[in-house]
Amino acid sequence: MIRTILIDDEPLARDIVKYYLADHPEIEVVAECCDGFEGLKAIHMHKPDLIFLDIQMPKISGFEMLELVEDKPAVIFTTAFDEYAIKAFEVNAVDYLLKPIDQLRFDAAIKKLPSRLNQKDNTEAVLAAAALSPAQNNRVVVKKEGVIKIIPTGDINYLEADDDYVKLSTVDGVFYKNKTMNYFEQTLDSNSFIRIHRSYIINLAQVTKIELKEKDSYVVLLKSDIWLPVSKTGYVKLKAALGL
């Protein structure tokens, strides 16, 4: 038996999936959720093999919810999302169903399940590709002590590499995201964020001063009274960004 959870803010969309699943008795629906917060709780509680996941939902998107799931189940996206995302799914072999969902297309997706269960690597690839979409780069969703927080990128002072995590210093404190500095360098708005060092990315709006520390070595002062090192490459990029 394949245990599944339906995560979609549209009751009709969930009803259609349940109706189509009636022809697939090997799949058991163990929970229904109307947003990403409920979805996270249900995944933690039921540990499903599969989820049907909408992308555009209130509060947090399907992508953002999936980033916070540690042990990711197989995913079939149910979406009216843009062509960019669809191409990402196709390339990375994670299935998707376009709304309104057609039963023949639904049945075809179910037939692929045996070979796609537990394909975490493919799910991660889709998330990485989707993150490059402009719709995904204006906020960061984190989880701290069991609480989910949505951080507008404008509230980030700077980012710092910290082993397998990136530390986000914000107006509301420090948070950690299990991503890489390269990920944030690619996804954050390059007009607002500059990588000044292999270990630091700064919000340009936070810069108050640049000083020469020693020969060919610079530091930058942020509004939060934090001094950060600037590499030679970072200094060139920083000057160009500030029009110096």
Side-chain angles (χ1 to χ4, degrees), residues 37-201:
F37 291 118
E38 287 189 6
L40 281 171
K41 293 178 183 177
I43 291 171
H44 179 72
M45 178 182 298
H46 296 285
K47 295 179 171 45
D49 307 296
L50 166 72
I51 59 174
F52 289 86
L53 179 63
D54 188 17
I55 294 174
Q56 294 169 306
M57 295 186 292
K59 299 180 181 177
I60 60 175
S61 72
F63 288 139
E64 291 166 335
M65 188 218 77
L66 203 54
E67 281 189 355
L68 300 175
V69 177
E70 294 180 3
D71 189 11
K72 293 177 176 59
V75 181
I76 293 179
F77 290 97
T78 56
T79 179
F81 211 59
D82 58 30
E83 183 180 357
Y84 174 89
I86 293 171
K87 288 180 179 178
F89 304 155
E90 291 174 336
V91 168
N92 294 290
V94 173
D95 219 334
Y96 65 93
L97 298 170
L98 280 178
K99 295 177 178 178
I101 299 172
D102 174 78
Q103 185 166 8
L104 290 177
R105 180 67 181 85
F106 183 92
D107 291 341
I110 297 301
K111 287 181 180 178
K112 299 174 184 177
L113 273 178
S115 63
R116 298 191 182 183
L117 289 174
N118 302 318
Q119 295 217 349
K120 179 179 178 180
D121 290 343
N122 286 335
T123 301
E124 294 288 2
V126 167
L127 289 176
L132 300 179
S133 170
Q136 295 297 114
N137 67 2
N138 61 355
R139 65 186 194 177
V140 179
V141 178
V142 298
K143 185 163 61 173
K144 183 176 182 179
E145 298 176 352
V147 177
I148 297 170
K149 183 172 179 61
I150 299 171
I151 305 171
T153 53
D155 288 350
I156 299 173
N157 298 326
Y158 68 93
L159 302 92
E160 179 181 358
D162 191 341
D163 293 330
D164 294 332
Y165 291 81
V166 171
K167 181 173 74 174
L168 286 71
S169 175
T170 78
V171 295
D172 293 324
V174 173
F175 301 89
Y176 291 85
K177 187 79 172 178
N178 189 11
K179 292 289 184 182
T180 65
M181 294 293 282
N182 287 338
Y183 167 86
F184 281 109
E185 186 177 16
Q186 292 179 51
T187 57
L188 290 172
D189 183 359
S190 60
N191 292 317
S192 301
F193 289 87
I194 295 293
R195 189 167 185 174
I196 59 169
H197 187 275
R198 65 181 182 181
S199 297
Y200 296 98
I201 295 173

Side-chain angles (χ1 to χ4, degrees), residues 184-225:
F184 281 109
E185 186 177 16
Q186 292 179 51
T187 57
L188 290 172
D189 183 359
S190 60
N191 292 317
S192 301
F193 289 87
I194 295 293
R195 189 167 185 174
I196 59 169
H197 187 275
R198 65 181 182 181
S199 297
Y200 296 98
I201 295 173
I202 61 169
N203 184 343
L204 285 172
Q206 293 295 313
V207 175
T208 63
K209 186 186 297 185
I210 304 172
E211 285 190 359
L212 180 66
K213 185 177 181 181
E214 52 191 47
K215 184 179 179 181
D216 296 327
S217 177
Y218 289 84
V219 290
V220 63
L221 177 65
L222 304 185
K223 292 179 181 178
S224 54
D225 288 328

